[in-house]
Amino acid sequence: VPLITSSIPDGEAPRESVQGIYKLIIEDLTYAYTTLGNTSIFTGGANKWTAGGYLGVIYNYLASCKRYHTSKSLDFALNDFEWVNETEMSAAAETVLKDIVENSGYILVEKAKYSHLFRETTKAEQYKECLFLAEASNTITDEYPEISNFPIPSGDRNIYGGGYGRLKPTRELYLSYNANDIRRDHNITGTYTAASIKETVGGNTYYIPVAAVTGSKINRCTGKFRCIDPKEKTIPPSATQLNYPLLRFADILLQYAEALYFTGDEAKARTYFAENRNRVVKDGVNVETLNTAYYKADFVTELLDERRRELCFESKRRIDLIRFNKLEEAIFSINLKAGNLNDMAKDMQDNYEYFKIWMPLPDRQLALNRKLIPNPGY
């Protein structure tokens, strides 16, 4: 994008390089991290730890893009990462993320309330773990977010609070979970049906989707997020007051593990895998069961697997695959003959081109500003 740092816009400003843009991002986040208070004036607003969390994410992003040569083969100078000092970036990530882990006060919510992170009316639990949220309004207005297409279980929204189920989880995602991991059956569910019973959570009623049928493409849903019984809503049934997590403490722990690994402490880094899994292992099962089932000799492979299991449907996966240069591998690892697949898996494979790691610039913007250079391939 063009880099505008004054109040007077320049309609013919050329594109700035990735290096120039991230220099400004790091400066802004560093200022916020060192200036903001530990808490925000408004509940759920950005604070010191929000800025620090994103700073750590950015440092890890840049370090991984350099190490794994993201976009280098495209030979496009504006989007090049060869300027990054990956050793310095990982060290900076380790420092800021350590501060958050040890001093921020954010926690992993307890196992019994794990589902509260993803429900419409359990914001008190979200605030314990989420450093930042896309917040819905708490007052009645004329406009609300709408999540009928994704990522809630399929079902009649006027009866159960369900959605259309336009996006399905892949069979590969389902199989990445061990049966003793509560996240599997929480995140990947069946639909809402007449057999769905109700439960009370935080004083509100929710329908429970039926369990996923692993041999059926139709009856498997992105069920991580849940809306209340529509009869209890004061807003339209199609709308939601859900707070969508943008940065959770679970993500911070995995980002910290990544930084520790790349600064030379793999043993300590793996302890954060165990900490993250300890709150999702089924009652009566030792966390070592999950540690053993999920172990990969290659740390990065295990890191990406764990991030996929914990952060699925939270808009993290694509960026993770791009920054470790594994997007192509992941797309073509989906077995189209296995059945029980995301409906769009074949489309992803048929339309894959490496240059699509970058988005196209809109034609309208290219027409308005002839100094803008399109991304390669478009």
Side-chain angles (χ1 to χ4, degrees):
V1 293
L3 182 64
I4 308 296
T5 57
S6 74
S7 60
I8 302 173
D10 179 358
E12 294 187 340
R15 288 179 64 182
E16 179 57 82
S17 66
V18 164
Q19 181 176 5
I21 294 296
Y22 275 98
K23 179 178 182 292
L24 180 64
I25 290 172
I26 290 172
E27 288 174 356
D28 283 351
L29 288 174
T30 300
Y31 176 79
Y33 174 55
T34 56
T35 304
L36 291 174
N38 290 344
T39 58
S40 171
I41 297 173
F42 303 103
T43 303
N47 57 41
K48 168 189 176 73
W49 308 113
T50 310
Y54 278 117
L55 194 57
V57 168
I58 292 299
Y59 287 143
N60 275 341
Y61 170 77
L62 293 174
S64 54
C65 285
K66 170 64 180 297
R67 283 192 180 96
Y68 293 87
H69 307 297
T70 297
S71 83
K72 186 176 182 180
S73 64
L74 296 175
D75 193 25
F76 187 63
L78 283 175
N79 294 352
D80 187 76
F81 290 98
E82 292 304 302
W83 56 274
V84 175
N85 184 320
E86 63 271 36
T87 302
E88 290 182 1
M89 289 293 178
S90 291
E94 190 274 336
T95 298
V96 68
L97 293 167
K98 182 177 188 288
D99 189 21
I100 298 168
V101 169
E102 295 182 354
N103 301 310
S104 70
Y106 288 95
I107 61 170
L108 297 177
V109 300
E110 61 187 284
K111 182 190 307 183
K113 295 184 177 180
Y114 177 74
S115 68
H116 293 203
L117 293 168
F118 314 107
R119 292 178 183 265
E120 192 171 20
T121 58
T122 49
K123 297 182 181 182
E125 296 301 320
Q126 286 185 315
Y127 291 141
K128 295 176 183 178
E129 181 166 332
C130 298
L131 284 74
F132 209 41
L133 294 144
E135 298 233 26
S137 173
N138 287 318
T139 59
I140 296 178
T141 67
D142 293 329
E143 297 180 358
Y144 295 91
E146 190 271 328
I147 56 171
S148 294
N149 294 312
F150 173 83
I152 57 177
S154 303
D156 193 313
R157 69 184 181 189
N158 297 308
I159 299 175
Y160 307 110
Y164 298 124
R166 299 198 192 282
L167 294 177
K168 303 287 186 182
T170 62
R171 179 175 182 269
E172 283 74 12
L173 175 61
Y174 184 87
L175 294 177
S176 75
Y177 290 99
N178 183 273
N180 292 301
D181 189 330
I182 67 171
R183 293 175 298 188
R184 185 189 72 177
D185 296 333
H186 176 271
N187 297 342
I188 302 174
T189 70
T191 62
Y192 291 115
T193 71
S196 295
I197 63 174
K198 296 179 180 181
E199 63 177 341
T200 301
V201 178
N204 293 100
T205 304
Y206 290 82
Y207 280 93
I208 303 174
V210 298
V213 178
T214 57
S216 167
K217 179 166 63 177
I218 297 174
N219 195 19
R220 227 173 68 256
C221 305
T222 54
K224 191 172 196 175
F225 294 83
R226 312 284 172 87
C227 294
I228 61 171
D229 182 344
K231 291 186 287 295
E232 296 182 6
K233 284 193 170 186
T234 57
I235 60 176
S238 61
T240 183
Q241 289 179 298
L242 178 79
N243 283 356
Y244 187 80
L246 297 176
L247 185 62
R248 291 196 285 121
F249 191 64
D251 190 0
I252 293 295
L253 292 180
L254 295 175
Q255 293 279 351
Y256 186 37
E258 178 181 335
L260 286 168
Y261 173 74
F262 284 111
T263 53
D265 197 345
E266 181 175 349
K268 185 176 180 181
R270 288 185 177 276
T271 66
Y272 289 99
F273 289 162
E275 182 173 342
N276 201 53
R277 295 164 183 160
N278 192 53
R279 66 100 172 251
V280 295
V281 66
K282 286 186 176 179
D283 290 340
V285 180
N286 192 288
V287 70
E288 286 304 317
T289 299
L290 295 187
N291 291 339
T292 301
Y294 294 154
Y295 176 79
K296 296 290 192 305
D298 179 69
F299 180 89
V300 170
T301 300
E302 187 170 345
L303 172 71
L304 289 175
D305 284 351
E306 189 59 30
R307 288 182 62 79
R308 170 171 64 166
R309 285 186 288 263
E310 177 61 35
L311 301 168
C312 65
F313 318 140
E314 294 182 52
S315 306
K316 310 286 185 178
R317 179 69 170 164
R318 183 175 185 272
I319 296 299
D320 280 345
L321 292 172
I322 288 173
R323 68 190 182 95
F324 284 101
N325 229 345
K326 291 182 178 291
L327 180 63
E328 179 174 332
E329 176 186 328
I331 288 175
F332 287 99
S333 70
I334 299 173
N335 185 352
L336 299 181
K337 295 181 180 180
N340 193 27
L341 296 171
N342 181 302
D343 295 331
M344 298 180 183
K346 187 176 186 303
D347 291 338
M348 286 194 293
Q349 293 183 359
D350 289 345
N351 291 285
Y352 173 80
E353 295 282 354
Y354 183 74
F355 69 80
K356 293 179 181 178
I357 63 170
W358 300 109
M359 298 296 186
L361 272 65
D363 285 341
R364 183 171 183 271
Q365 299 304 317
L366 293 172
L368 288 170
N369 183 356
R370 298 294 182 178
K371 292 183 180 179
L372 296 181
I373 302 172
N375 280 328
Y378 293 102

